[in-house]
Amino acid sequence: MASAAERWVEDQERLARPARVAWCDGTEGEAWRLLEIGMNEERLNGPVFLKLNHKSWPTAYLHHSDPTDVARTEHLTFVCHSTREASGPNNNWMEPAKAKKKMAKLSEGCMRGRTMYVIPYMMGQPDSPYAKACLMVTDSTYVAVSMRIMTRIGTPILEKLRNREDFIKGFHSVGDLDPNHRYIMHFPQESLVWSVGSGYGGNALLGKKCVSLRIASYLGLRQGWLAEHMVIMGIEDHRGNVTYVTAALPSACGKTNLAMMESALPEYRVWTLGDDIAWLNIGPDGRLWAINPEAGYFGVAPGTSMKTNPNMMRTIRRGAFNPTLFTNVGLNTDTNEPWWEGLDGPVPENMLDWQGRPWTPGSGAKAAHPNSRFTASIINSPMLSPEHNNPQGVPISAIIFGARRTRLIPLVMESFNWAHGVFLGARMGSETTAAATGQVGVVRRDPMAMRPFCGYNFADYWRHYLNVGNRLTRPPGIFSVNWFRVDENGKFMWPGFGDNMRVLKWIVDRVNGRVPARETPAGLVPRIQDLDLGGLNISEDKMERLFAVNMKEWKGEVDDIRDSLKPYGGRLPAEIREQLLKLERQVR
Ligand code: GTP
Ligand code: SPV
Ligand code: MN
């Protein structure tokens, strides 16, 4: 008798009518076969994969996505609970039956003449009690190769899938790539993702935002855990003690850089566990435990260099485990090497831009798309935590909420308690970036860096967050950080990157009860003398300004926060309303 998995795949085949069906076995031989297929497969203006210089970039390949398809499209992303209220004001909603009809129409025969890859995969270490079994189909060779880098795939996972019905399903087709036929639909009540019309990023690599955040956050609500847009890292001090922290920052606001940081403080070092997504479970010991459901990086290329992120440069140049993919970066045609703005060394003389057109620095536009990315296995990371495969995960001592704010928000702040910490997250705002289509650089509310990723009503999410805190006997401290405050000339006041360790060290000192803090109306901030600023050339005046909390300037901010919470009405938890009232009193 066919398993539920096989029956589901047959249904998709009947709908999409591919020329052939290929079940991915996850072997290494298969990876090279898929790359070979991609190198000979014409899409757009060239092959799916272009082999790069393997002397300097071992196992690296270049891919171009359609120029209309270069970032997540939030306006085309829907979360379809049976009621609009369950999806919340934070999501686009469509009545599930109507949404399915629409998607079925778009999917009808959409894989004609193409291969349908069937990918059995697991989010999380397969033996972890917190891992989830998933199954997806796709007609994109690029997505098939990417999924094997980003997740744990293959036949052993299929065995796990065979005797169960509760796996998470994903249908993906590039369709005709017409933006008018592009939809990323989620059906959380059935653990189903249905994505047509895009071949790039979170729209297409379904294990990432669709499954591990939107679908998983709703599973977490029902099962008592949290799926978060967070880095997981271990911070080791000179005595060898490792403190594990997670950090939530919106897209393209510094998670990957933080997770891979080369510490400016010689007696501290960072161990990476994850750079984008964390699943947080309440352990039997009453602590919060984190696993990274993913197995790879899908990181922003521009700005990545030996100066800003040497460990990532080493990772993407290593190519030891799985291929490394580059998408929408420039190409140095003399050396056949990838190139992007911010890469070390001089600008190459002969270049093609991210659309394959001849490019010179004088041409005004960027050679690499601002949301161009690399895809690389986390195994290639030189600073991979020895705990990365631990099925239980790691115990978390601090949760950090960070955002991109040129004004108001101090470099670091600690919450007074869990409820205040949840409010710090809920009232987060951040200036928008190129990671999603739309205007860049405007402040928008992005609670917990989850605005585009929470698979249900934010009001219910905050209540769930509060409940998780109440169930923890040893809850982590909650902090907020902002690396992006600028001076009157618009220059970043804080050097950032490796120097962020100075802030992390204070956080570690705080959760270990080693230093006192200074109270401001917005939260607790460091006394300057408790920050290790050794070797850093920064004036005392600048340090003061990095921590300035002048509530008189917060009026507009508080108005904006109130407006952002209004749509949740009576559903908003009382604790959040109390915190807002407190803040309102402070600006009066
Ligand atoms: P997603 O993959 O979209 O979720 O992004 P991310 O949060 O992992 O962002 P990433 O680390 O790729 O950083 C994106 C941008 O932020 C890059 O342009 C970096 O140069 C910049 N950035 C990262 N850390 C810092 C920092 O400490 N200071 C400053 N000024 N910029 C930073
Ligand atoms: C993000 O936008 O937060 C990303 C990239 O990590 S994507 O996978 O496209 O969502
Ligand atoms: Mn992300």
Side-chain angles (χ1 to χ4, degrees):
M1 214 180 73
S3 66
E6 283 155 335
R7 273 180 281 136
W8 183 77
V9 170
E10 276 166 23
D11 288 345
Q12 311 318 306
E13 188 184 350
R14 215 167 297 128
L15 174 67
R17 308 205 169 284
R20 61 200 83 77
V21 176
W23 288 74
C24 292
D25 61 18
T27 57
E28 205 175 325
E30 176 181 75
W32 307 122
R33 236 175 10 253
L34 287 176
L35 285 162
E36 211 47 58
I37 290 170
M39 283 189 283
N40 294 301
E41 187 181 346
E42 288 288 321
R43 289 290 293 176
L44 315 169
N45 326 315
V48 171
F49 294 120
L50 184 88
K51 190 173 176 175
L52 291 165
N53 185 335
H54 281 191
K55 284 211 182 75
S56 48
W57 295 89
T59 71
Y61 294 80
L62 176 62
H63 173 76
H64 295 292
S65 70
D66 186 277
T68 70
D69 184 30
V70 291
R72 281 183 296 102
T73 43
E74 294 175 5
H75 60 296
L76 305 175
T77 302
F78 288 73
V79 173
C80 306
H81 284 276
S82 51
T83 65
R84 186 192 288 275
E85 290 66 42
S87 293
N90 46 306
N91 282 304
N92 297 317
W93 178 81
M94 204 181 282
E95 204 267 306
K98 191 175 151 200
K100 281 198 175 159
K101 217 165 134 192
K102 193 180 188 72
M103 295 311 282
K105 209 166 145 205
L106 288 173
S107 307
E108 179 76 51
C110 69
M111 296 187 186
R112 265 201 194 97
R114 308 174 57 82
T115 302
M116 180 170 95
Y117 297 102
V118 183
I119 306 171
Y121 66 101
M122 201 90 182
M123 296 315 293
Q125 204 273 358
D127 297 323
S128 168
Y130 309 130
K132 300 287 174 206
C134 313
L135 184 62
M136 101 174 250
V137 297
T138 178
D139 57 4
S140 160
T141 315
Y142 168 73
V143 170
V145 176
S146 301
M147 286 298 289
R148 67 167 289 126
I149 303 171
M150 297 302 298
T151 74
R152 290 141 169 117
I153 81 165
T155 307
I157 311 266
L158 186 61
E159 292 310 317
K160 278 189 190 288
L161 265 166
R162 275 236 159 79
N163 33 32
R164 52 200 295 176
E165 310 255 331
D166 64 343
F167 52 91
I168 302 173
K169 308 169 199 77
F171 178 99
H172 171 256
S173 170
V174 291
D176 58 9
L177 285 173
D178 177 349
N180 294 314
H181 299 157
R182 182 174 297 160
Y183 289 97
I184 301 92
M185 296 276 190
H186 302 73
F187 303 90
Q189 277 146 329
E190 306 167 43
S191 290
L192 168 67
V193 182
W194 200 336
S195 166
V196 173
S198 167
Y200 187 53
N203 286 351
L205 313 179
L206 301 191
K208 207 171 175 59
K209 301 299 158 69
C210 299
V211 165
S212 292
L213 289 177
R214 297 193 193 96
I215 298 293
S217 60
Y218 183 65
L219 285 176
L221 173 70
R222 289 187 306 178
Q223 299 169 353
W225 54 281
L226 290 162
E228 296 299 314
H229 193 200
M230 285 176 172
V231 167
I232 312 171
M233 62 203 281
I235 302 162
E236 182 175 342
D237 68 15
H238 56 289
R239 288 191 216 89
N241 297 323
V242 183
T243 303
Y244 294 98
V245 307
T246 62
L249 293 97
S251 301
C253 288
K255 283 183 303 303
T256 303
N257 279 276
L258 186 64
M260 308 279 293
M261 166 203 292
E262 195 156 83
S263 169
L265 298 178
E267 63 277 25
Y268 282 76
R269 64 162 301 171
V270 161
W271 295 101
T272 305
L273 289 110
D275 81 322
D276 201 48
I277 300 180
W279 285 355
L280 307 176
N281 281 275
I282 301 171
D285 59 356
R287 287 191 291 176
L288 195 62
W289 290 72
I291 65 161
N292 175 9
E294 301 191 281
Y297 300 115
F298 182 61
V300 179
T304 307
S305 70
M306 285 306 287
K307 215 168 85 216
T308 57
N309 197 344
N311 287 314
M312 188 53 93
M313 291 301 292
R314 290 175 194 123
T315 303
I316 59 182
R317 285 190 99 126
R318 189 145 162 227
F321 185 81
N322 269 334
T324 293
L325 308 182
F326 291 94
T327 308
N328 297 342
V329 300
L331 177 67
N332 177 342
T333 49
D334 290 330
T335 60
N336 197 30
E337 293 176 302
W339 192 84
W340 53 81
E341 279 72 17
L343 185 64
D344 312 271
V347 179
E349 272 176 33
N350 293 303
M351 285 272 309
L352 297 179
D353 73 1
W354 64 276
Q355 296 184 69
R357 304 171 303 195
W359 180 89
T360 58
S363 67
K366 307 261 193 226
H369 187 277
N371 192 40
S372 57
R373 295 194 176 236
F374 49 77
T375 315
S377 174
I378 198 167
I379 307 284
N380 293 329
S381 167
M383 49 187 329
L384 184 63
S385 164
E387 299 298 321
H388 84 280
N389 255 336
N390 188 331
Q392 303 302 323
V394 291
I396 299 303
S397 299
I399 290 176
I400 301 168
F401 293 125
R404 185 182 284 269
R405 292 302 297 269
T406 48
R407 295 173 53 250
L408 292 186
I409 309 297
L411 180 61
V412 59
M413 205 160 53
E414 182 181 349
S415 63
F416 299 121
N417 50 50
W418 185 267
H420 180 240
V422 172
F423 183 63
L424 280 190
R427 68 158 177 71
M428 259 170 81
S430 193
E431 284 144 37
T432 50
T433 66
T437 54
Q439 201 185 344
V440 168
V442 293
V443 176
R444 94 171 167 172
R445 293 292 131 196
D446 191 348
M448 278 84 171
M450 283 288 280
R451 208 215 64 96
F453 308 123
C454 184
Y456 60 100
N457 192 316
F458 258 149
D460 302 340
Y461 169 77
W462 295 320
R463 190 180 306 278
H464 180 45
Y465 228 108
L466 291 162
N467 288 343
V468 167
N470 290 338
R471 285 171 53 206
L472 293 167
T473 51
R474 293 154 73 188
I478 301 183
F479 295 79
S480 96
V481 299
N482 175 25
W483 317 138
F484 300 94
R485 209 163 176 173
V486 298
D487 61 16
E488 56 284 357
N489 302 318
K491 282 235 159 64
F492 291 125
M493 289 198 282
W494 180 248
F497 302 99
D499 286 303
N500 292 334
M501 181 52 88
R502 302 171 195 277
V503 171
L504 295 180
K505 175 181 181 295
W506 183 75
I507 291 174
V508 169
D509 285 344
R510 281 297 294 165
V511 298
N512 289 310
R514 289 189 202 121
V515 288
R518 195 159 60 82
E519 190 165 335
T520 77
L524 304 166
V525 298
R527 307 182 309 176
I528 306 294
Q529 69 262 36
D530 291 327
L531 289 170
D532 187 340
L533 300 175
L536 186 64
N537 190 11
I538 190 163
S539 70
E540 211 163 293
D541 168 61
K542 214 175 242 177
M543 285 312 297
E544 295 291 346
R545 278 154 66 202
L546 278 164
F547 289 108
V549 179
N550 180 351
M551 294 315 282
K552 276 194 223 104
E553 294 169 3
W554 277 57
K555 175 85 175 57
E557 175 80 0
V558 174
D559 288 344
D560 199 38
I561 294 167
R562 183 191 313 111
D563 288 350
S564 74
L565 296 177
K566 226 174 243 156
Y568 299 94
R571 213 164 170 130
L572 206 61
E575 290 91 329
I576 298 290
R577 263 181 279 142
E578 271 163 38
Q579 294 288 341
L580 176 64
L581 275 175
K582 245 186 244 169
L583 194 60
E584 285 176 332
R585 255 179 264 132
Q586 281 153 359
V587 293
R588 239 179 260 136

